[in-house]
Amino acid sequence: MNSLQLFRVNPDFRRYWTARSISLIGDGVAMVALLLLAGNSDAGAAGVAAVLLAQSVPRFFGPVAGALPDRFEVRRILLVAELGQGAVFVAIAAVPSTTAALVPLVALSSCLATVFVAAGRTVMPRLVEEPQLMSANAWMGTAFNLQAAVGPVIGGALTAAFEPRGALLVNALTFFVGAFFLLRLPRLEPVRDATGKRGNFLADIGAGLVFTWRHRAARVIVLLLLFGVLFGSLDNVALVLLASDVLDAGPLGFGLLGTASGVAMVAASLWLTRSATTFSPATIMAGGWIITGAGLAATGLSPVLAVAVAAQGVAGMGNSLAMVGEETLLQKSVPAAMLGRVGGAVSSAAFAGSALAYAAGGYLASVLSPRTVLIIAGTGLMAVTAACVPALRVAGRQDREATTDDDEPGTKPPAKDDAAQDAAAQSDAAQAGAAQDDAAPTSRA
């Protein structure tokens, strides 16, 4: 089956992809409108910072959100999160433009988005056969990349035409349209482990964290995202200074650098939809991060804007490949009963890396040149990836062995790497849950 046939023969995948594409483009629209609304609020720049903080902090609770799809019916979680975000953005458009009114609503929207992302990580293995996972994830990567490539442009145009509140209402509409398509998905019941037992909610969260650390593929992905994103996100801090202070390109030059990265991300994910069976997920992930690092370092070395734009295109291409490889490797190697919790931990690791980069990037940019910061970002990312390559090779090899040994097409086998450790992790989690139950009565969903 080629990648386009996936849309024709699998209506459930088509509906899910359509729902996410519409909502994600709406997110890009909302980011522009929301920042402009916050900037015009009573607090000015401080209001913008507060809104960004409110949007960011809930992302740390990925492990908590990840426990939900492993306990409750996933389609219902997706619908609640999608409709909830739509209602929140209607409220944001209606309330006064004060920091006190905006910040809690933005935080609530981010909480719902965190829940949706955690539940969404468990969807793809249920909608497509295993041989199509890479192509399906590449298409989902295209939807995600459209958010950065076209969302801000549409957001700017809508804000100019209808003011920020009008653009925010358009974003709310995208959530309601997305929910319409999600409603037509089949029920997606949570997958239980072999014992069929379920501890209390806190025990489930702890079991997910323990399992993530003891599972080889999940552990290496967490470490690679934490430290790789730490280096890679320095680009976001240094790039604007490179465009304005070093290359003397001004806002237009900075816009061109961002556009080059976004367009390349879309192109790379589209290419991967047709070439997904050529490489293993581990190879795609490692290769993508190496390419990203090379692009960042080349950006720092670029003598003129045109070269920097091309280098940012390379970095964007690698970033897109790495995301698709990561998602597919997780889906193929992590047992379905743990996928939501592991995915939540992975998401939090990536966010922690970016938060550390933003905290350190400002200081580095003040004492070093933007070129130096970009070279550090690129070389650091390549070094972290190189250190993780041996573990990724083992994870990739075990993934191929699991796929070969799978007797039933389209059924994802249990993860085979670190089997003894995984069993120990689940045993430890069960004991922890029992201890908590003995200590105090806990209501069970």
Side-chain angles (χ1 to χ4, degrees):
M1 181 189 302
N2 64 43
S3 60
L4 290 177
Q5 286 178 321
L6 185 61
F7 283 90
R8 181 173 58 84
V9 304
N10 191 329
D12 290 331
F13 171 76
R14 184 172 65 245
R15 291 163 187 149
Y16 185 68
W17 185 88
T18 302
R20 292 307 291 144
S21 297
I22 294 171
S23 295
L24 287 168
I25 291 174
D27 287 343
V29 170
M31 179 57 68
V32 174
L34 196 57
L35 293 180
L36 290 173
L37 193 66
N40 294 327
S41 68
D42 56 333
V48 173
V51 165
L52 290 174
L53 186 63
Q55 192 175 55
S56 301
V57 169
R59 306 290 182 174
F60 277 118
F61 296 96
V64 178
L68 295 175
D70 292 335
R71 295 176 65 90
F72 304 108
E73 198 269 317
V74 173
R75 186 186 62 169
R76 182 178 300 175
I77 296 174
L78 297 176
L79 284 168
V80 169
E82 194 84 339
L83 291 171
Q85 289 180 86
V88 168
F89 273 97
V90 170
I92 292 174
V95 300
S97 303
T98 62
T99 303
L102 291 177
V103 166
L105 288 173
V106 171
L108 177 57
S109 172
S110 186
C111 288
L112 292 169
T114 302
V115 169
F116 191 105
V117 170
R121 282 184 177 270
T122 71
V123 170
M124 206 50 57
R126 309 182 193 209
L127 297 186
V128 303
E129 298 291 328
E130 185 169 314
Q132 280 79 53
L133 266 179
M134 182 80 83
S135 290
N137 285 323
W139 279 113
M140 297 308 300
T142 302
F144 179 82
N145 294 333
L146 286 173
Q147 174 186 1
V150 304
V153 176
I154 298 174
L158 288 173
T159 300
F162 305 109
E163 302 294 329
R165 295 182 187 279
L168 291 171
L169 288 175
V170 171
N171 177 53
L173 180 61
T174 66
F175 286 115
F176 298 137
V177 174
F180 169 77
F181 286 99
L182 293 175
L183 189 61
R184 301 177 66 193
L185 293 178
R187 287 181 60 85
L188 304 171
E189 298 294 343
V191 179
R192 303 289 178 86
D193 60 21
T195 65
K197 297 180 180 179
R198 185 173 64 189
N200 63 52
F201 189 66
L202 290 179
D204 276 358
I205 296 171
L209 293 173
V210 171
F211 184 92
T212 300
W213 185 249
R214 294 190 175 183
H215 187 277
R216 180 180 286 111
R219 181 173 65 244
V220 70
I221 289 173
V222 165
L223 292 174
L224 181 51
L225 285 180
L226 174 62
F227 294 104
V229 171
L230 192 161
F231 281 106
S233 292
L234 293 174
D235 165 81
N236 296 331
V237 179
L239 202 60
V240 62
L241 298 176
L242 180 77
S244 60
D245 299 345
V246 178
L247 299 177
D248 195 26
L252 177 60
F254 179 64
L256 289 174
L257 292 170
T259 300
S261 178
V263 171
M265 290 179 72
V266 173
S269 56
L270 286 174
W271 170 79
L272 197 55
T273 63
R274 301 179 61 86
S275 308
T277 58
T278 306
F279 307 99
S280 71
T283 300
I284 290 290
M285 183 177 182
W289 281 120
I290 292 292
I291 292 171
T292 302
L296 296 181
T299 303
L301 295 171
S302 299
V304 295
L305 178 63
V307 178
V309 167
Q312 278 293 291
V314 172
M317 177 180 66
N319 190 14
S320 182
L321 297 177
M323 288 193 300
V324 174
E326 169 225 320
E327 193 77 13
T328 308
L329 182 58
L330 271 183
Q331 293 167 353
K332 287 192 170 188
S333 61
V334 173
M338 300 295 296
L339 187 54
R341 282 166 281 179
V342 173
V346 167
S347 297
S348 292
F351 176 77
S354 64
L356 290 171
Y358 297 151
Y363 171 76
L364 289 176
S366 66
V367 298
L368 302 173
S369 70
R371 291 189 185 278
T372 303
V373 174
L374 285 163
I375 292 171
I376 291 173
T379 55
L381 178 53
M382 288 188 285
V384 168
T385 305
C388 293
V389 162
L392 282 173
R393 283 179 175 172
V394 174
R397 183 168 62 250
Q398 291 172 338
D399 164 53
R400 290 192 296 272
E401 292 171 356
T403 302
T404 302
D405 294 340
D406 187 19
D407 293 328
E408 183 180 351
T411 302
K412 190 172 80 65
K416 296 190 176 183
D417 63 317
D418 289 354
Q421 290 181 333
D422 296 344
Q426 296 197 24
S427 176
D428 292 345
Q431 293 174 9
Q436 290 189 22
D437 290 341
D438 292 337
T442 305
S443 61
R444 298 175 185 270

